[in-house]
Amino acid sequence: MEALFFNVDSGYLEGVVRGYKGGILTQSHYANLTQCETIEDFRMQLGSTDYGNFLANESLPISTSTIADKATQILVEQFHYMRSNAVEPLSKFLDYMTYAYMIDNVVLLITGTLHERDTHELLERCHPLGIFDTMPALCVATNVEELYQSVLVETPLAPYFRECLSASDLDDLNIEIIRNTLYKAYLEDFHRFCMSLGGPTADNMSRLLEFEADRRTINITINSFNTELTKEQRAKLFPAIGRLYPEGNNALAKADDIDQVRQVCDNVPEYRPFFDSAGSARSRPNGSSLVVEDDGDALAVASALEDRFFAMEVHLNKLAFLQQFQYGVFYSYIKLKEHEIRSLTWIAECIAQDARERIQDFIPIF
Amino acid sequence: MGHDGYPSLFRSEQMSLVQFFIPTEVAHDTVSELGELGDVQFKDLNPDVNPFQRSFVAEIRRVDEMSRRVRFFATQIEKEKDKIPVRPLYDSVPLVTVGPRVAQTIDELEVKLADHEHRLIQMNESYQTMSERTRELVEARHVLRETAVFFDRAQGHESEIRASLDDSSQPLLAHDDREAQFSSGAISFDLEFVAGTIDRTRLSTFERILWRVLRGNLYMNHTDIAEPFVDPVTQGETRKNVFIIFAHGEVLLAKIRKVAESMGATLYPIDPNAERRHEALKDVQGRLEDLQTVLYNTGATRREELVRIGESLSSWQDLVRKEKIIYETLNYFNYDARRKTLIAEGWCPTRDIIPIQLALRHATEESGTSVPPILQEIRTNKKPPTFHRTNKFTEGYQTIIDSYGIATYQEVNPGLFTVITFPFLFAVMFGDIGHGFIIFVAAILMILAERKMAKSDLGEIIGTFFYGRYIILLMGVFSMFTGLMYNDIFSKSLHIWRSGWDFSDPQHGTPNGHVYPFGLDPAWHGADNALVFTNSYKMKMSIIIGVIHMTFAICLQVPNHLHFKRPFNIYAEFIPQILFLQSIFGYLVVCIILKWTTDWSKAPTQPPGLLNMLIYMFLSPGYVKAEERLFAGQSILQILLLLVALVCVPWMLCVKPYMAWKEMKAHEGDGYGRLGLGDDVNGELIAEEEGEGQLVAEQMEDQEEHHDFGEVVIHQVIHTIEFCLGCISNTASYLRLWALSLAHAQLSEVLWSMTLESFLSPSGVFGFIALIIMGIVWFTLTVFILCVMEGLSAFLHALRLHWVEANGKHYEAGGYAFQPLTFANLDENA
């Protein structure tokens, strides 16, 4: 059915986003990029891709952060183009996508203020997709109540924030709790919204969002080992969606070490390999060496896990493009492009610091 | 072509693959010379090498840096409010781009550019800091003035404030203190405040946040600053507001300051004391004046610098662009083993080899060395590019064909015939002497002003018309001709010769023995059955023109088959096709002419309907009703023609595949088998899915073209079906000639009768004024609706008839265009 009417409102934008997707760098581009000797070569190499001469007017030398900024700027422009051409419900969908960045920005600002960083510097570091009008005022807040009353009450994040009001002080732990509570509420809300859209959008987005939720659940569990976070508090932070929910989440809430996490993940066939090779193998399948010192060393496992999560995310996002007439492509495009920018920055960084042996440690998309 | 030595449009230019051996020291000058000549298309000899691993990357990077600087100057000059003159290229002193001194020139230029850039950036910076400072001072002045106004007003209300203070529930003791203070006569009141400026767009958010943060415990006042602030770098305008906020308590004030800072507001310390404020204002005023003089001087020097840059900017731009192209071309070249000579390969027209050799010699002389580059022609089986040598007249017509597809190398070029057929088919639809004359005059004007217009930038729409000016010229001429044939001038008719009809009885015309010698008899104009007559006439004419056009297009296959040495195709394709077309539609044309030439008023039978005749030729072959017979023996002839057409279908379908099959058998008999290549298909598909289709395509290209028998069969089946059905639908498609011609004639008649006709016999002054106004309206509408709009529509249909109906019959269009290295249109791609 969606094929009948989808194109009336969103056909153009889907075409646009698929065209954008065609511009995502491929394996052969990366092969060329990793051979670059200097950042100038890097710029020249990017000149033949869809990035074009986005760095042409930068005077030498170019820093890697400039590259990341400029690339993000292109992404943001594309996003704004799509957002301003979108109609309901796609526009709402795109708005939902920005909430995640808003949460990140809010947390960044609060943390920064807490550690007495310069406000302007903080504002510059905020992700441009998550900027909202009253954001600068975040830095005056000293407790959660004030934060909510003075700033967040009029942002879309307000409903997510009510959960956090119980926390009174702003300290590092509480901020982390706030972030995760916000994210939980956000993911659940976004999931609900996508379900209400129905059709292939719901299918694709539930797959993506459930993975995101599981990833957060596992990360929270692993990161909360040996911290003062109680198990009840931990359980409250888990999003109530995902393939691990509810049994897996319950088990994770009680987990004490990484082995228990692995047991939980074994129940989901797709997640099984995350831990299998993370625990036993000493190198990643694509040949880069990421040495895991000790099987019980949670930190090393976690960092290997992170890479695997990224690879999985890229894979899932690629799958979203196989189906037409659904909004998942917009979400996936932005996610993939972020990966690309991350990879580009990594390569540029490796070139700049002359760390050739690590240059292959990025996740190629196509 | 080719034999007589003159270039022609009939076939594309004969091309040669040539190899150059260029000593390294003359390489630059050689490429520069060849670029000026614009006659060689260089091949990339190192396609596998990364762009940054090529030999001349360092030079390219240097040129890139120079072009970045030049671009920087250009944007700086553009941004300047008062226009800075940029001396056009043809007026500038040319920079030496060849010869032994070229390296030095470029070195000097690089230093000069860096110098200019350095100076400009420095000046920009100081200008910027100073304007920043000025802006702050201006803002401070505004804040001082506005707050002064506010304080003045507040002072007027002082008593009320005091009263309100009295009312508040303050401790009584403190109250006494205050009372004492006030009564001591000090006019200062101790409300604390923050004052500053903020971007107007952010004001409302700012106010809202403050209100929320302070829970309403503030008093805010703000006014607009009338003039905008201009950013010296981006030239963007920002509008700001002055605000002053009163609040009580250090904590709240600190909060306000923090919010204000994070919202991008600028705060200014203002003293509550009126006298000190006044002093501060004076101080600010004084500093502002000083700063403005300095600022003006800096601006003037900066402008001077820019003017100096503008003097030679365009020659720099030109040089940088040329250098970049030269080095990019040099990157295509290979080094020989000893790295003393560069080897280049490229295509050039065979007849131009001598001028190219001359250019090479010239380059050697220029560079002052004695080792000339060597040019050698090499034999190849690669497909050369297609190059049609056009002039300003034929260029437009060739573009019409090229936009359908670039001709296969040495294929018969339909562009040559388009020169006449295109304007002619257009004119059949656009037949009107008046309208034709208007577009003819327009084209003549454009051609007369050709030189001037070519130099100026015309914009996209006018530019397109200008590009097609010679097409428009011929379209106008032919439209006047067909207008004469239709006897149509602005929907009226011309009485040149004596009409063949008398109207003694106004209802019926009687023939008077005269024959109108040329075109349509004007007596038809206004007759009741005029439309019936012209419709029938134009419809049949369209069919005749269409069949002739298609026959001609099919015939163009013959020179192709002969030239490419495949005479077999003449028997397998050309002959059955032409027989098929002629036996059905050729016959129809003959019948049309027969029907026209018969005097039906004296014939024993009624004139037969030709459409039905054609239909029944298929439905009931061999039977023609006696009263509809056109000539004796018609039924026998029709059976014969039908049989011929029927035979042609299997002929077209089978002969070619059969011959291919026989050839293959012969090959296999000689012991050549096919090699299986099924293994990587899956891998390739996956790779393609992953977006690496490009690589795969390149690999496929390298394989020798593979003759698959199944492919030949399928191709032939499609081709046959397409041709047979195409014959019918294409013939019908030519009826658009009639339809558009009819629409055009009707539209112009409607326009005439609705605007001008009723005002033609004016009475009194108002009558004349109305006539003039209506005349203008009529003429404007004639030009815009009938000439431009209808003209575009007729153009479009003529285009389609050429692309689909004619080109489809013979034009392979499988070539690629010749794109020589040239400096001629640098501006467009830079």
Side-chain angles (χ1 to χ4, degrees), chain A residues 24-172:
Chain A
I24 289 181
L25 302 183
T26 63
Q27 196 80 57
S28 57
H29 288 132
Y30 283 120
N32 284 338
L33 285 174
T34 48
Q35 285 173 27
C36 292
E37 297 283 331
T38 62
I39 292 288
E40 271 175 76
D41 289 343
F42 188 78
R43 168 169 79 171
M44 200 184 235
Q45 205 44 265
L46 277 182
S48 62
T49 66
D50 259 27
Y51 280 102
N53 45 6
F54 75 122
L55 294 170
N57 281 342
E58 297 297 320
S59 59
L60 298 168
I62 302 169
S63 70
T64 46
S65 60
T66 320
I67 295 176
D69 284 349
K70 287 274 171 187
T72 313
Q73 204 179 323
I74 292 179
L75 175 64
V76 170
E77 274 164 22
Q78 290 176 343
F79 182 83
H80 284 314
Y81 178 76
M82 294 194 284
R83 175 63 189 84
S84 48
N85 280 293
V87 291
E88 285 286 340
L90 178 58
S91 55
K92 183 117 190 258
F93 181 88
L94 293 176
D95 284 342
Y96 261 108
M97 282 169 58
T98 61
Y99 298 166
Y101 300 100
M102 281 191 197
I103 295 176
D104 286 345
N105 286 351
V106 167
V107 174
L108 175 75
L109 279 177
I110 306 174
T111 324
T113 319
L114 194 67
H115 294 276
E116 283 165 4
R117 293 278 176 76
D118 180 40
T119 319
H120 292 281
E121 190 192 314
L122 285 173
L123 286 175
E124 268 168 31
R125 277 175 52 201
C126 283
H127 197 284
L129 280 183
I131 283 179
F132 51 98
D133 265 356
T134 52
M135 206 169 72
L138 280 171
C139 48
V140 276
T142 48
N143 62 47
V144 179
E145 175 72 26
E146 205 177 18
L147 196 68
Y148 178 72
Q149 290 299 345
S150 59
V151 187
L152 290 176
V153 69
E154 64 175 18
T155 65
L157 301 183
Y160 308 151
F161 211 81
R162 288 200 195 103
E163 292 285 312
C164 316
L165 285 175
S166 55
S168 51
D169 288 334
L170 285 173
D171 55 36
D172 276 334

Side-chain angles (χ1 to χ4, degrees), chain B residues 35-102:
Chain B
E36 299 286 356
L37 193 66
D39 229 358
V40 188
Q41 176 180 358
F42 286 104
K43 275 171 58 175
D44 190 354
L45 294 183
N46 350 295
D48 303 330
V49 185
N50 268 328
F52 57 88
Q53 284 168 344
R54 297 186 176 217
S55 335
F56 292 92
V57 176
E59 283 84 352
I60 287 189
R61 221 172 264 160
R62 198 169 130 193
V63 175
D64 270 347
E65 186 65 16
M66 282 162 73
S67 79
R68 187 188 62 76
R69 288 194 174 124
V70 171
R71 250 196 331 265
F72 171 69
F73 298 148
T75 45
Q76 288 289 321
I77 286 181
E78 250 169 53
K79 263 192 219 153
E80 197 64 13
K81 270 218 189 88
D82 306 316
K83 214 168 142 36
I84 287 178
V86 175
R87 191 186 289 198
L89 185 58
Y90 55 85
D91 201 20
S92 313
V93 187
L95 286 164
V96 187
T97 50
V98 285
R101 289 180 52 80
V102 66

Side-chain angles (χ1 to χ4, degrees), chain B residues 361-377:
Chain B
R361 200 169 307 153
H362 186 242
T364 326
E365 282 162 15
E366 281 278 311
S367 64
T369 51
S370 52
V371 208
I374 296 161
L375 182 146
Q376 184 191 12
E377 208 176 325

Side-chain angles (χ1 to χ4, degrees), chain B residues 1-14 349-352 387-390 410 416:
Chain B
M1 69 133 282
H3 310 295
D4 48 7
Y6 285 107
S8 104
L9 264 188
F10 186 61
R11 289 187 194 287
S12 66
E13 219 36 62
Q14 197 156 14
T350 309
R351 74 171 78 247
D352 284 346
F387 175 45
H388 295 292
R389 219 180 277 265
T390 53
Q410 294 258 295
L416 174 64

Side-chain angles (χ1 to χ4, degrees), chain A residues 283-300:
Chain A
S283 64
R284 292 220 324 241
N286 63 1
S288 71
S289 58
L290 203 145
V291 183
V292 180
E293 292 296 332
D294 175 73
D295 277 10
D297 189 353
L299 203 70

